[in-house]
Amino acid sequence: MKVAKFGGSSLASAEQVQKVVDIIKEDSERRFIVVSAPGKRNPSDKKVTDLLLAVCAARCANEPIDGFIDEIYGRYEAIAAPFNIAPDHLVAIRSSLQQFVTLPYENNPHFYDTVLASGEDNNAKLIAGILQSNGLPARYMNPQELGMIVTDEPQNARILNTSYENIYAWHDSQDILVIPGFFGYTEAGDICTFSRGGSDISGAIVSAGLQVDLYENFTDVDGIFSAHPGYVHRPESIKEVTYREMRELSYAGFTVLHDEALMPSYHAKIPVVIKNTNNPSHPGTRITNHRDNLEQPVIGVASDEGFCMIYIRKYLMNREVGFTLRVLEIFRDLDLNYEHMPSGIDDISIIMRSNQLTAELEETLLRKIAYEIDPDELRITHDLSMVVVVGEGMRQRVGITADSTAALARKNINLEMINQGSSEVSIMFGIHKEQEKAAVRTLYYTFFD
């Protein structure tokens, strides 16, 4: 038994939806379908979600939204046109969109969630109707009926553990259930959306709740590549990767899946396969809790920009009890997160996301560190990128760090920071962002050439 989730690009047009229908028909084990809102049909197109954001902006500005409603409805109507679905499906979609004209937005913390969730919700209604018109026993399943109950945190909802038992009650359903992704319902009955990667999170939650054998996540690529295709020409496709490796790759810039989206399936030990709607026969990339094939020590090289580093040096720092705690308390008091903190006996480097800092907040942070810590040296370095070499097999292969640093040195790529955890699943290099692409290419060809 499988859960199959289809992303926005897989559902953007009637042509794409026909591919989805064929994929569902091809395997009777695909009984639970999670859908995103229709995505872009071409690079200059708008996603349905973008149009719904425009609805929110117009309503909050007391401007008319009829034009947006017509445009959004037109997207669903165009997808439905070739399938000869029952008219009541489109009537339900039109009625749902029309309610936004009178939906209160002032003092309504769930306004955005309600509007944005309609993209997925209406698409689930539509896809259920299309599957029915193709002779499949499909039905639309609202997340509230499914039992997906979430915390009351608008645009950042988290699933409640009681939901999994609710969802399992549908385990033996003989119908194909078409479930909208991206949102659930609070215990009070309000809609709350998940954060980034919302529909992927829904797919993982449904998989964990139903305790299925496999969670298939259909996108527009043949799985996960071992490096960014924009940096490396035709990188290798990863056949199998562990959840831990995927977490490292996602954190460091791989965008096929948001790193938090896999948590429910990870805890339930359900394998995930990333597949291509446009090339469904390709095996894709399988994500598992454990893999036996560790012959290739490195499975991927990832990178992400937008970091800065605060360097603190103080003689005999290691003799001061609570030194690091006092530094981190300053970060806590300013509501700042840090990402990494490699250290020596007399210095520490604190890596953080630059988008947390304004010029004023940066000045406050440095002033507080200077006053409360009294370091011998204090400086901040901007425009850093993190380049990460990932692979469970690195634990069994001597010299990965040496090979990496030697290769970077030959290309005159300066390292601001090196960090490797005791798990030895990844090695992280901090470099200036203008050298990011060169570093990724250098490391990739060191281990994959």
Side-chain angles (χ1 to χ4, degrees):
M1 189 165 61
K2 302 174 182 177
V3 168
K5 179 262 174 180
F6 293 92
S9 61
S10 301
L11 303 165
S13 65
E15 180 183 8
Q16 288 297 100
V17 169
Q18 182 60 61
K19 296 176 185 177
V20 170
V21 172
D22 294 339
I23 288 169
I24 296 171
K25 279 185 172 181
E26 186 267 336
D27 189 345
S28 60
E29 293 182 349
R30 294 178 177 130
R31 288 169 37 206
F32 303 94
I33 311 301
V34 177
V35 300
S36 296
K40 291 184 178 182
R41 294 162 292 189
N42 54 67
S44 61
D45 196 16
K46 291 182 179 180
K47 301 177 183 179
V48 164
T49 300
D50 293 332
L51 296 172
L52 290 167
L53 283 169
V55 168
C56 292
R59 281 285 289 125
C60 291
N62 284 317
E63 296 174 353
I65 63 171
D66 292 339
F68 293 121
I69 289 176
D70 290 341
E71 187 174 359
I72 295 168
Y73 177 76
R75 289 292 302 275
Y76 293 113
E77 190 176 41
I79 293 170
F83 295 104
N84 193 31
I85 69 171
D88 58 312
H89 297 292
L90 287 173
V91 170
I93 292 172
R94 184 79 186 192
S95 175
S96 168
L97 294 172
Q98 203 62 44
Q99 292 176 9
F100 298 149
V101 175
T102 56
L103 181 68
Y105 61 87
E106 293 181 336
N107 302 315
N108 181 3
H110 302 98
F111 170 73
Y112 272 84
D113 300 66
T114 303
V115 174
L116 296 181
S118 71
E120 279 74 11
D121 195 45
N122 285 323
N123 210 27
K125 297 171 187 174
L126 181 65
I127 299 303
I130 289 173
L131 292 175
Q132 291 168 12
S133 72
N134 278 266
L136 294 171
R139 60 168 291 196
Y140 157 75
M141 173 61 67
N142 184 275
Q144 190 171 36
E145 184 179 4
L146 183 69
M148 192 177 291
I149 309 303
V150 299
T151 58
D152 194 352
E153 298 174 272
Q155 300 174 57
N156 193 35
R158 290 172 291 121
I159 195 71
L160 296 181
N161 287 333
T162 53
S163 298
Y164 292 111
E165 185 176 347
N166 300 337
I167 294 169
Y168 186 77
W170 295 93
H171 180 273
D172 297 322
S173 172
Q174 297 305 302
D175 293 329
I176 296 174
L177 303 185
V178 184
I179 305 158
F182 187 42
F183 72 99
Y185 283 80
T186 68
E187 291 177 310
D190 294 309
I191 289 175
C192 268
T193 58
F194 298 116
S195 59
R196 295 175 298 170
S199 291
D200 292 327
I201 294 174
S202 295
I205 290 169
V206 173
S207 299
L210 293 168
Q211 299 178 24
V212 296
D213 302 298
L214 186 66
Y215 169 28
E216 296 179 311
N217 192 299
F218 283 86
T219 66
D220 55 3
V221 293
D222 289 336
I224 301 167
F225 295 105
S226 50
H228 193 301
Y231 294 0
V232 175
H233 180 61
R234 298 182 68 178
E236 291 184 16
S237 177
I238 301 174
K239 295 180 180 179
E240 187 176 36
V241 60
T242 65
Y243 278 106
R244 184 156 58 168
E245 290 170 328
M246 192 64 224
R247 160 75 169 140
E248 298 278 354
L249 292 169
S250 297
Y251 167 79
F254 277 32
T255 57
V256 174
L257 279 177
H258 186 257
D259 53 351
E260 296 176 10
L262 294 173
M263 285 297 292
S265 50
Y266 163 72
H267 286 302
K269 298 184 178 180
I270 295 170
V272 177
V273 177
I274 309 299
K275 293 180 70 70
N276 189 350
T277 302
N278 303 311
N279 186 18
S281 62
H282 191 283
T285 298
R286 187 178 183 90
I287 307 171
T288 64
N289 284 70
H290 174 78
R291 65 182 177 93
D292 296 320
N293 182 13
L294 300 176
E295 293 180 5
Q296 175 71 35
V298 174
I299 57 98
V301 180
S303 66
D304 198 12
E305 62 180 27
F307 293 87
C308 63
M309 178 177 71
I310 296 173
Y311 175 78
I312 304 170
R313 181 177 62 83
K314 189 173 185 180
Y315 190 61
L316 297 180
M317 181 189 81
N318 64 320
R319 300 284 184 89
E320 292 191 30
V321 176
F323 182 90
T324 302
L325 176 61
R326 286 190 288 133
V327 173
L328 294 182
E329 284 176 339
I330 294 172
F331 275 71
R332 181 200 61 194
D333 293 343
L334 295 175
D335 197 26
L336 294 171
N337 294 320
Y338 77 95
E339 304 287 325
H340 313 281
M341 193 170 57
S343 64
I345 58 171
D346 286 333
D347 56 24
I348 58 174
S349 298
I350 303 173
I351 312 296
M352 59 185 296
R353 298 274 182 179
S354 298
N355 59 11
Q356 297 183 85
L357 291 177
T358 61
E360 181 180 1
L361 187 55
E362 178 181 322
E363 182 181 350
T364 300
L365 173 63
L366 295 177
R367 187 173 63 249
K368 286 178 73 68
I369 293 174
Y371 177 75
E372 298 182 25
I373 304 300
D374 191 26
D376 297 324
E377 183 179 354
L378 173 64
R379 68 174 186 266
I380 183 168
T381 304
H382 290 283
D383 297 327
L384 293 182
S385 292
M386 296 294 120
V387 180
V388 185
V389 177
V390 178
E392 298 260 16
M394 293 194 299
R395 290 173 295 182
Q396 302 169 6
R397 184 74 61 87
V398 175
I400 297 296
T401 302
D403 291 343
S404 300
T405 54
L408 294 170
R410 285 193 295 271
K411 294 294 184 179
N412 293 316
I413 296 172
N414 185 52
L415 301 179
E416 293 287 337
M417 181 274 292
I418 303 176
N419 190 23
Q420 182 175 20
S422 57
S423 67
E424 298 185 58
V425 175
S426 67
I427 308 168
M428 180 171 292
F429 302 98
I431 61 173
H432 286 282
K433 71 174 184 180
E434 63 266 19
Q435 295 185 302
E436 177 184 341
K437 290 184 180 181
V440 170
R441 286 193 291 265
T442 298
L443 292 168
Y444 177 84
Y445 290 119
T446 298
F447 299 109
F448 291 92
D449 193 11

